Amino acid sequence: KNINIASSVFTGKNTDSVGAVAAENNGGSISGISGYGNTIKGSGGYIGGLVGKNYGGISNSNDQSTVIAGAGTVAGGIAGVNGTNADKGGTIDNVQSNSAVTTGVLAKDQYASNLGGIVGKNEIVEKILMAILAQGHVLMEDVPGVGKTTTAMAFAKVLGLETRRVQFTSDTVPSDILGFSVYDKKSERFVYKPGPIMTNLLLADEINRTSSKTQSALLEVMEERQVTVDGHTHKLPDPFVVPVGSAGTQLLPQAQLDRFMVRLEMGYPDFASQVNILRDRQTGDPLQAVQTVCSAEELLTMQAQAQQVHMADALLEYVTKLAEASRSHPLVVLGVSPRGALAVCRMCKSRAFMAGRDYVLPDDVTDVFADVCAHRIVLSPKARISETSPSDVLAEVLRQVTRPDHI
């Protein structure tokens, strides 16, 4: 316990000591470890993790530059790649990392190539994972070529989800997405032929190139997670996520925009990140090196755990005040809906879960509020004339509404 690791590498096997730094620890918990640029080699053989196989739990660890390759039930939000993922009863609790991004995914900039070369976009990756843990959908709007599709494909591979991709065009019709019924001569009845919607992760690329009719066909799917074809309802598989890349000519209906938990913009990479992107692709595609670190069943478990995070009444009132302030703002025609307020709460819980907390803080609310609500509000003509953006309005709302001083 309370070992300050200066420069050594710890390896070996210890089945008796409680709190021992070892490749395999079956005894107790490892606590108070402060690692600065060092390596502890775990039983999974992964250099860069704290522990490869830990049956007793990792608690209260502060990781500055390494990755936790954990084993037990992930409650704190960080786990590694090559560790054993069998649930032996341990937990990862109260884990804090300066740049922790994901559960079961490498969390540092220098390992970004393990997410298919998503370099310099840790904040975006973090927000996407929050939305997935909150059982929400992601709308990525930006110029072509900044990595929207690559990001979605990397997440699908990392999380071990069945994935299908639809490239929307102007002639795409609802049955191309939802499926259709075909008469079967043998059974003498109509049989449902599933469309690409019957998957865990549907990558809907350039959705606003298609017609409003096709876009609207996704409303029931995204909200109720079911498909109705010829009067028969078919449930979608769990988990179900729709990351959408939006670039085209048709505006998404406001009712559909409200179905997306967050809207994110990738943005251009900075200079160093651009150089790294070019270097990584000189000899191959980094997306091919992405490893699966989580199964669909494990993701469902983490989603359930994230929703158990406590959110105090004071914070529920804070979210309500923010929503009401957006509705009464003089530059807003359509404010944050109740669905939007619920989405803020769910995203806050996911953020707290990823930070290793079982409770929500006011900082969680302020961090996700704009990403969750910017696409849900409609500004007045006066705001558009003055070139005021939804993010500007929401930032003003955050300044006007007093944060709770205790929870």
Side-chain angles (χ1 to χ4, degrees):
K1 292 186 177 180
N2 301 318
I3 299 173
N4 184 19
I5 304 169
S7 60
S8 301
V9 175
F10 289 80
T11 61
K13 181 174 182 179
N14 189 312
T15 59
D16 298 322
S17 299
V18 176
V21 178
E24 185 168 345
N25 175 30
N26 296 328
S29 64
I30 298 178
S31 60
I33 297 176
S34 179
Y36 296 89
N38 306 287
T39 298
I40 300 175
K41 184 175 181 180
S43 64
Y46 182 75
I47 297 177
L50 282 179
V51 177
K53 184 185 292 183
N54 174 40
Y55 295 159
I58 303 175
S59 61
N60 301 317
S61 62
N62 185 355
D63 173 33
Q64 296 286 336
S65 60
T66 57
V67 176
I68 299 174
T73 302
V74 179
I78 305 176
V81 169
N82 287 335
T84 302
N85 287 326
D87 182 359
K88 299 296 183 179
T91 60
I92 300 177
D93 295 321
N94 303 318
V95 179
Q96 296 180 351
S97 173
N98 288 347
S99 58
V101 173
T102 181
T103 301
V105 181
L106 296 178
K108 304 293 184 277
D109 286 346
Q110 61 266 40
Y111 298 120
S113 60
N114 289 275
L115 271 174
I118 307 170
V119 181
K121 298 298 179 182
N122 282 359
E123 184 178 357
I124 297 297
V125 171
E126 182 179 359
K127 293 289 176 62
I128 293 174
L129 183 69
M130 286 182 197
I132 293 175
L133 290 175
Q135 304 177 43
H137 309 295
V138 181
L139 176 63
M140 291 183 284
E141 287 189 331
D142 216 320
V143 296
V146 292
K148 300 186 295 295
T149 302
T150 300
T151 301
M153 297 302 292
F155 262 99
K157 193 170 182 180
V158 164
L159 297 177
L161 301 178
E162 180 186 350
T163 308
R164 295 186 183 180
R165 176 180 177 181
V166 176
Q167 186 72 41
F168 284 86
T169 61
S170 59
D171 58 352
T172 303
V173 296
S175 60
D176 294 335
I177 311 300
L178 307 181
F180 51 88
S181 296
V182 176
Y183 184 75
D184 182 34
K185 291 184 178 180
K186 292 183 179 180
S187 61
E188 296 183 347
R189 61 185 181 90
F190 284 92
V191 177
Y192 171 63
K193 298 294 182 181
I197 200 71
M198 288 295 176
T199 187
N200 294 127
L201 188 145
L202 176 68
L203 174 54
D205 208 2
E206 298 182 334
I207 188 174
N208 54 348
R209 289 192 184 277
T210 191
S211 65
S212 298
K213 181 179 181 180
T214 304
Q215 293 174 16
S216 299
L218 293 174
L219 292 179
E220 179 188 17
V221 171
M222 296 174 65
E223 183 65 20
E224 301 177 27
R225 301 175 187 269
Q226 64 183 25
V227 174
T228 302
V229 177
D230 294 335
H232 296 281
T233 300
H234 309 274
K235 290 290 184 180
L236 297 177
D238 284 327
F240 177 70
V241 183
V242 180
V244 168
S246 177
T249 57
Q250 304 287 338
L251 294 177
L252 292 176
Q254 193 64 33
Q256 184 170 349
L257 284 175
D258 204 38
R259 261 68 172 182
F260 290 99
M261 182 158 287
V262 292
R263 181 180 66 181
L264 303 172
E265 295 181 358
M266 297 292 292
Y268 289 112
D270 57 34
F271 182 85
S273 297
Q274 179 72 77
V275 173
N276 288 334
I277 291 172
L278 299 178
R279 182 186 300 114
D280 292 341
R281 284 159 175 77
Q282 293 301 303
T283 58
D285 182 5
L287 189 60
Q288 301 302 318
V290 174
Q291 300 180 23
T292 299
V293 299
C294 177
S295 67
E297 291 74 18
E298 290 169 331
L299 178 58
L300 288 172
T301 299
M302 288 186 285
Q303 287 178 338
Q305 291 172 341
Q307 292 309 301
Q308 297 304 312
V309 172
H310 175 68
M311 192 165 184
D313 286 347
L315 291 175
L316 297 178
E317 294 175 359
Y318 181 44
V319 172
T320 302
K321 291 177 181 178
L322 290 172
E324 291 185 341
S326 73
R327 299 166 194 166
S328 59
H329 195 281
L331 296 180
V332 175
V333 175
L334 182 65
V336 177
S337 65
R339 183 190 285 122
L342 285 170
V344 171
C345 294
R346 288 161 61 186
M347 280 287 288
C348 289
K349 290 184 176 184
S350 294
R351 187 178 188 273
F353 175 78
M354 290 173 57
R357 289 182 275 108
D358 60 358
Y359 55 89
V360 176
L361 295 175
D363 286 344
D364 297 322
V365 179
T366 56
D367 181 72
V368 305
F369 184 66
D371 294 314
V372 174
C373 299
H375 62 290
R376 301 175 189 271
I377 65 174
V378 177
L379 301 183
S380 66
K382 182 179 179 180
R384 293 193 291 269
I385 292 173
S386 62
E387 297 184 350
T388 301
S389 69
S391 297
D392 296 333
V393 171
L394 294 176
E396 183 179 345
V397 168
L398 285 171
R399 290 192 298 268
Q400 291 175 348
V401 178
T402 304
R403 287 166 43 127
D405 54 2
H406 65 277
I407 57 173

